């Protein structure tokens, strides 16, 4: 049987958990019968329930799982954490075949495939592994590098200006781009800015529009040494706010790692964002370019690292889309997850 369609659905389900699973990975699971018909599905969302995706899918299948196939984006866990091991739930459900995309690199939870094989279950690995790895890149980066995954969002003119000479910057991009940013905020575990951004723009850093109103918002992280206004919007009670009073990026990473989060959405200005790029911290760059020119003002990135064309920083282009005239482009600065 070709399991690609079921795995694509499982990946889509997993992505519904973005911003809702830290410190755990996003995981999606689909259960199909002998004819390939879906009889159960689920994804991990600890804001709604503690159960993992596999258990959610089993529960939704209404006791039809005996002899069925489970397709899951990540190797089922093999340890007792806040819930029981998923492998035991799969065995108890009478699943005959387990198909997964990515082998679990977390030593504490790995080994699920071997346990299932020992129980007589047919195990198939590596189906759409690249796609599932990409979807789960934030958690996989945390496991492999011991730090969160950083995405830097920038809104610029075509000549790469993020603010005019007088410091004004609202709004460079259009409503469609700004609405798209709200989705990215909702999918992150934390939103990071520098102290200067708080002082200059007084941002709220809470998802707006259709992505507002959740019981849990991303953690707001403010980095820098400047004193912050006590009445700044980031100090309201709609989300946790953590102030890291330092310019030392290693200390920033250490503090973020203590929060045990997977994905940090960086909305910092040129100073902090450029420093993070040069420090090897930015994993992903998302640029919203408006069809406009300023000719002067702040560039979004500056560095003294490259003095010749041969020293330029090359990025991996991932995607580009048009948002009512604005151009949204996504790049990866490193792809060694």
């Amino acid at each position: 049987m070709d399991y690609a369609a079921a795995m694509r659905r499982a990946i889509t389900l997993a992505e519904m958990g973005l911003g809702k699973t830290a410190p755990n990975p996003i995981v999606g699971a689909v259960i199909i019968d002998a004819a390939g018909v879906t009889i159960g599905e689920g994804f991990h969302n600890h804001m709604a329930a503690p159960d993992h995706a596999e258990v959610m899918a089993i529960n939704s299948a209404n006791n039809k799982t005996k002899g069925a196939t489970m397709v899951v984006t990540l190797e089922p866990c093999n340890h007792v954490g806040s819930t029981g091991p998923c492998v035991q739930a799969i065995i108890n459900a009478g699943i005959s075949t387990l198909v997964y995309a990515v082998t679990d690199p977390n030593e504490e939870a790995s080994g699920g495939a071997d346990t299932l094989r020992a129980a007589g279950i047919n195990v198939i690995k590596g189906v759409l592994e690249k796609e599932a790895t990409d979807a789960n890149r934030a958690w996989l980066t945390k496991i492999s590098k011991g730090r969160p995954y950083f995405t830097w969002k920038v809104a610029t003119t075509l000549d790469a200006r993020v603010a005019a000479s007088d410091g004004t910057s609202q709004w460079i991009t259009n409503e469609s781009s700004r609405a798209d940013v709200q989705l990215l905020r909702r999918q992150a575990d934390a939103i990071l800015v520098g102290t200067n951004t708080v002082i200059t723009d007084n941002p709220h850093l809470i998802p707006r529009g259709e992505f507002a109103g959740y019981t849990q918002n991303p953690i707001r992280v403010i980095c820098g040494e400047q004193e912050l206004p006590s009445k700044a919007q980031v100090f309201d009670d709609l989300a946790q706010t953590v102030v890291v009073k330092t310019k030392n990026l290693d200390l920033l990473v250490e503090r973020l790692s203590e929060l045990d989060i997977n994905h940090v959405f960086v909305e910092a200005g040129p100073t902090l964002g450029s420093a993070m790029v040069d420090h090897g911290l930015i994993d992903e760059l998302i640029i919203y370019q408006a069809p406009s020119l300023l000719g002067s003002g702040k560039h979004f990135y500056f560095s003294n690292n490259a003095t010749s064309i041969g020293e330029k920083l090359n990025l991996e282009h991932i995607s580009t889309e048009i948002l009512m005239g604005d151009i949204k482009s996504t790049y990866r600065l490193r792809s060694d997850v």
Side-chain angles (χ1 to χ4, degrees):
M1 183 180 292
D2 183 0
Y3 298 110
M7 186 62 78
R8 288 190 187 94
R9 173 59 181 166
I11 293 171
T12 297
L13 288 167
E15 290 175 332
M16 293 171 67
L18 288 168
K20 305 170 186 175
T21 68
N24 297 329
I26 60 167
V27 182
V30 173
I31 301 176
I32 56 177
D33 62 17
V37 176
T38 298
I39 58 174
E41 60 182 30
F43 68 95
H44 183 45
N45 174 8
H46 77 189
M47 288 187 185
D51 291 333
H52 289 183
E54 296 92 329
V55 174
M56 297 288 286
I58 290 169
N59 291 342
S60 73
N62 296 319
N63 299 315
K64 299 177 182 177
T65 54
K66 186 174 179 60
T69 296
M70 176 178 285
V71 179
V72 62
T73 55
L74 184 69
E75 179 185 10
C77 65
N78 197 39
H79 79 303
V80 177
S82 58
T83 63
C86 289
V87 291
Q88 191 58 54
I90 293 168
I91 293 168
N92 294 344
I95 298 293
S96 63
T97 299
L98 188 285
V99 180
Y100 72 91
V102 180
T103 299
D104 193 335
N106 184 2
E107 293 182 1
E108 182 181 0
S110 62
D114 291 338
T115 299
L116 292 172
R117 289 191 185 96
I121 294 175
N122 180 36
V123 177
I124 301 171
K125 69 175 183 178
V127 175
L128 297 190
E129 181 178 9
K130 180 180 179 182
E131 293 86 341
T133 295
D134 183 69
N136 216 0
R137 61 191 179 277
W139 180 78
L140 290 168
T141 293
K142 185 182 72 170
I143 296 299
S144 65
K145 296 186 177 182
R147 65 159 176 81
Y149 186 91
F150 292 97
T151 296
W152 185 20
K153 181 273 296 182
V154 178
T156 80
T157 58
L158 287 179
D159 51 347
R161 312 287 178 167
V162 294
S165 297
D166 64 358
T168 56
S169 61
Q170 296 180 334
W171 298 99
I172 288 176
T173 53
N174 63 34
E175 292 181 2
S176 182
S177 292
R178 299 199 296 274
D180 192 69
V181 169
Q182 304 314 310
L183 170 61
L184 299 182
R185 282 181 172 180
R186 176 54 61 198
Q187 292 179 336
D189 303 308
I191 299 172
L192 170 66
V193 298
T195 52
N196 190 62
T197 295
V198 174
I199 294 168
T200 303
D201 297 337
N202 191 23
H204 198 197
L205 304 181
I206 297 294
R208 301 190 301 268
E210 64 179 297
F211 304 105
Y214 283 60
T215 56
Q216 182 175 323
N217 284 312
I219 299 169
R220 297 174 292 200
V221 181
I222 320 299
C223 178
E225 296 178 335
Q226 298 182 82
E227 291 298 323
L228 299 172
S230 60
K231 295 184 178 179
Q233 291 192 93
V234 294
F235 293 125
D236 68 13
D237 59 0
L238 290 182
Q240 178 184 357
T241 297
V242 175
V243 178
V244 186
K245 200 167 185 179
T246 183
K247 292 183 179 180
N248 186 316
L249 295 180
D250 291 328
L251 292 178
L252 171 64
V253 171
E254 182 179 318
R255 183 68 182 97
L256 289 168
S257 297
E258 290 172 357
L259 295 173
D260 208 5
I261 54 181
N262 299 336
H263 187 193
V264 179
F265 190 55
V266 181
E267 297 197 52
T271 301
L272 178 56
S274 297
M276 292 182 72
V277 170
D278 292 347
H279 206 67
L281 291 176
I282 298 299
D283 302 286
E284 185 170 281
L285 174 65
I286 298 178
I287 301 181
Y288 296 87
Q289 285 184 296
S292 59
L293 299 169
L294 271 172
S296 63
K298 291 184 179 180
H299 282 103
F300 85 87
Y301 175 68
F302 56 87
S303 172
N304 295 322
N305 286 352
T307 58
S308 69
I309 196 67
E311 297 174 320
K312 67 184 185 298
L313 178 62
N314 294 312
L315 312 182
E316 177 189 2
H317 174 256
I318 302 301
S319 64
T320 293
E321 60 182 301
I322 307 299
L323 300 172
M324 292 179 59
D326 287 354
I327 302 172
K328 174 190 176 185
S329 296
T330 301
Y331 304 90
R332 302 270 166 77
L333 278 75
R334 50 196 53 82
S335 56
D336 54 348
V337 173

